[in-house]
Amino acid sequence: MSNDWNHLFNRMPELLAPTMAKDHPNLPVIKEEGCYYYGLDGKQYLDFTSGIATTNVGHRHPKVVQAIKDGADQLLHGPSGVIMYESILRLADELGKVTPGNLDCFFFGNSGTEAIEGALKLARHVTKRPYVVSFLGCFHGRSMGALSVTTSKSKYRQFQQPSGLTYQIPYANPKECPENVDVDVDAYFEDKLEKDFNTLFKHQVTPEEVAAVILEPVLGEGGYIIPPKSWMKKLREICDRHGILLIFDEVQTGFGRTGEWFAAQTFDVVPDIMAIAKGIASGIPLSATVASQELMKKWPLGTHSTTFGGNPIGCSAALATLEVLQEENLLENAKEMGAYALKQLELLKEKHSLIGDIRGVGLMIGIEIVHPETGEPNGDALFEILDLALEQGVLFYFCGNASEVIRMVPPLSVTKEQIDEGLAMLDQAIHLYEQKVAINV
């Protein structure tokens, strides 16, 4: 089997489109379990990516695996509407108990991008307005509708000419607050948001034409930026003032990643529409566009549809995932382990001038890698450090406009011992990189 595997792996460039196949680091694995991957090379790797914030309850949790097996004994496929089945209805009922506010009606799809597409369509249909405002740095997907509001990297939009029915304004990045001891950070960003919208409404689009404002409550691919809570509340107030719907992209922040079920609860702001995916079903493709029943009822039959969305096995996996998150108190563990990891990372920062800003909420943690002399983003160093960390036995991922931020998103079941183990490997990787740079100077 290994020989066949190696042969196929070597043929990867000709078998798979390079737009995905050349991602980093392309670790060949044969098994996953808990917080670990098991490589084709026979090594065990501590996983601090969770499949990019997807396997929140850990890889192949026994309860989830059993739910998938049991589900497969009954139904493999079920185009909802053509037939109806218990798992999709039970999932909607259970999700409605943990989603914020009155958001308790669901359109199930397959991916985060699909959930975003649904959210944009719903907002435009309900309001009868054409335009959407998004924020610079946010990532919402790469399909054409989602791409029109995605601005984390310009290369995603290159040659695509996404819809012009969108406008962008700056996201609140606490690092960009003026370094003045008299400046109140909350007041500064609230005032700036008001000014940014006023400028937009005066010069580019009237508020009466704007259907929705969409954003990630915490930037994901854009660099794990955490805005002030007051800024988010101000955004809610501006939307209410102009009859604009507020959409939260909770694809990455959902299902306990920030220490609450959703970041909406972390920021104490209820959006009108949510897009959820990733952690919903422990890796089985599933997503949902979420809104109130009142809003969803304004979307008539056939306006939006799907063949594979809400797959019965995916719904079974999602129900088991919800149960595990509750039974094992993983939201609380995310808060505790996230706080612990941030403290340990601050100690690591004292040892390494390559480490810049450290930021996180729950177990959604970003570690900025910079040029020590200038403080500028250092994406080249980041990739070398990630490779060295992988050699030590821990897998991280990257984010940020210049790929300068290490993304630390372990399963929410991670232990203090595993955090210590993983950060010790990262420490060693940075040390080895620093030695290499010193030798080459």
Side-chain angles (χ1 to χ4, degrees):
M1 179 179 175
S2 292
N3 288 335
D4 290 341
W5 215 122
N6 277 315
H7 175 66
L8 285 169
F9 185 72
N10 291 333
R11 290 184 60 209
M12 181 179 65
E14 66 189 72
L15 295 173
L16 300 179
T19 185
M20 274 295 287
K22 287 191 175 181
D23 201 3
H24 186 274
N26 265 318
L27 174 68
V29 301
I30 58 173
K31 185 180 176 182
E32 60 182 8
E33 191 162 352
C35 281
Y36 296 94
Y37 281 123
Y38 297 87
L40 182 62
D41 55 11
K43 295 181 181 179
Q44 174 182 277
Y45 294 89
L46 186 58
D47 176 30
F48 277 6
T49 71
S50 303
I52 313 182
T54 297
T55 53
N56 287 5
V57 301
H59 296 300
R60 293 180 59 250
H61 191 286
K63 193 160 193 170
V64 177
V65 172
Q66 191 60 52
I68 293 169
K69 291 178 178 178
D70 292 344
D73 283 338
Q74 296 178 336
L75 286 169
L76 291 181
H77 174 57
S80 61
V82 177
I83 64 170
M84 192 48 61
Y85 40 95
E86 182 183 8
S87 61
I88 194 171
L89 295 174
R90 282 190 57 215
L91 177 58
D93 187 45
E94 292 300 320
L95 278 174
K97 297 173 184 177
V98 299
T99 46
N102 63 344
L103 306 188
D104 60 358
C105 197
F106 303 85
F107 179 95
F108 289 106
N110 302 283
S111 69
T113 300
E114 286 186 30
I116 293 296
E117 296 282 354
L120 296 175
K121 286 180 69 177
L122 176 61
R124 286 183 169 124
H125 188 94
V126 167
T127 63
K128 307 296 188 291
R129 299 175 177 185
Y131 294 100
V132 174
V133 176
S134 65
F135 287 84
L136 293 172
C138 283
F139 178 86
H140 300 294
R142 296 181 178 93
S143 59
M144 291 305 286
L147 189 62
S148 72
V149 289
T150 289
T151 57
S152 55
K153 288 185 173 74
S154 57
K155 70 176 181 180
Y156 300 149
R157 300 159 66 94
Q158 191 175 21
F159 309 126
Q160 298 304 315
Q161 298 179 338
S163 166
L165 300 178
T166 64
Y167 295 93
Q168 283 74 43
I169 61 175
Y171 197 85
N173 185 346
K175 284 187 66 177
E176 296 174 359
C177 186
E179 294 182 1
N180 186 325
V181 292
D182 296 325
V183 172
D184 180 278
V185 175
D186 288 347
Y188 171 80
F189 281 108
E190 286 179 55
D191 183 59
K192 187 175 186 304
L193 184 66
E194 190 77 63
K195 289 177 180 176
D196 288 338
F197 270 107
N198 284 340
T199 300
L200 179 72
F201 293 154
K202 286 180 180 179
H203 296 280
Q204 293 183 281
V205 63
T206 65
E208 293 78 17
E209 296 175 282
V210 177
V213 171
I214 184 172
L215 79 160
E216 293 177 285
V218 177
L219 285 195
E221 208 270 345
Y224 279 33
I225 307 296
I226 306 165
K229 188 174 182 178
S230 62
W231 180 82
M232 200 75 74
K233 288 181 174 292
K234 184 68 173 180
L235 177 59
R236 174 73 273 183
E237 187 268 315
I238 291 172
C239 287
D240 289 341
R241 190 191 315 162
H242 297 289
I244 297 170
L245 297 179
L246 178 60
I247 303 172
F248 274 7
D249 177 344
E250 295 245 25
V251 170
Q252 189 164 169
T253 53
F255 297 96
R257 182 53 58 184
T258 65
E260 301 289 348
W261 281 105
F262 297 96
Q265 292 139 341
T266 300
F267 288 94
D268 193 26
V269 172
V270 179
D272 298 292
I273 306 172
M274 285 174 55
I276 60 177
K278 284 191 182 289
I280 191 172
S282 298
I284 302 297
L286 187 67
S287 68
T289 301
V290 192
S292 66
Q293 294 179 40
E294 178 186 6
L295 214 58
M296 283 288 195
K297 286 176 181 176
K298 297 179 181 179
W299 217 5
L301 176 66
T303 307
H304 198 52
S305 188
T306 176
T307 297
F308 297 105
N311 174 273
I313 294 177
C315 290
S316 295
L319 283 164
T321 300
L322 290 176
E323 289 178 11
V324 173
L325 286 165
Q326 293 168 325
E327 291 170 356
E328 298 186 8
N329 298 314
L330 294 188
L331 273 62
E332 187 60 33
N333 194 63
K335 291 178 186 175
E336 293 178 4
M337 293 302 101
Y340 177 75
L342 287 175
K343 287 181 181 178
Q344 300 308 112
L345 283 165
E346 288 295 341
L347 295 176
L348 206 61
K349 180 179 178 179
E350 294 176 5
K351 296 174 60 177
H352 302 289
S353 57
L354 278 165
I355 297 179
D357 196 29
I358 294 170
R359 47 193 179 253
V361 54
L363 280 169
M364 188 174 184
I365 298 170
I367 308 158
E368 189 180 37
I369 301 300
V370 300
H371 292 279
E373 300 81 12
T374 65
E376 292 297 308
N378 194 347
D380 292 337
L382 177 140
F383 282 108
E384 290 198 47
I385 290 168
L386 292 194
D387 285 339
L388 290 166
L390 191 63
E391 290 177 12
Q392 298 297 311
V394 61
L395 177 65
F396 291 94
Y397 200 57
F398 61 94
C399 62
N401 183 260
S403 299
E404 78 282 14
V405 180
I406 295 175
R407 201 183 316 204
M408 180 176 170
V409 278
L412 307 188
S413 56
V414 71
T415 65
K416 187 177 291 186
E417 291 73 24
Q418 288 168 331
I419 288 174
D420 288 340
E421 179 186 7
L423 293 185
M425 293 187 221
L426 178 61
D427 182 14
Q428 179 65 9
I430 297 175
H431 174 69
L432 290 171
Y433 175 80
E434 290 169 336
Q435 282 188 320
K436 174 186 173 183
V437 172
I439 290 170
N440 289 341
V441 171

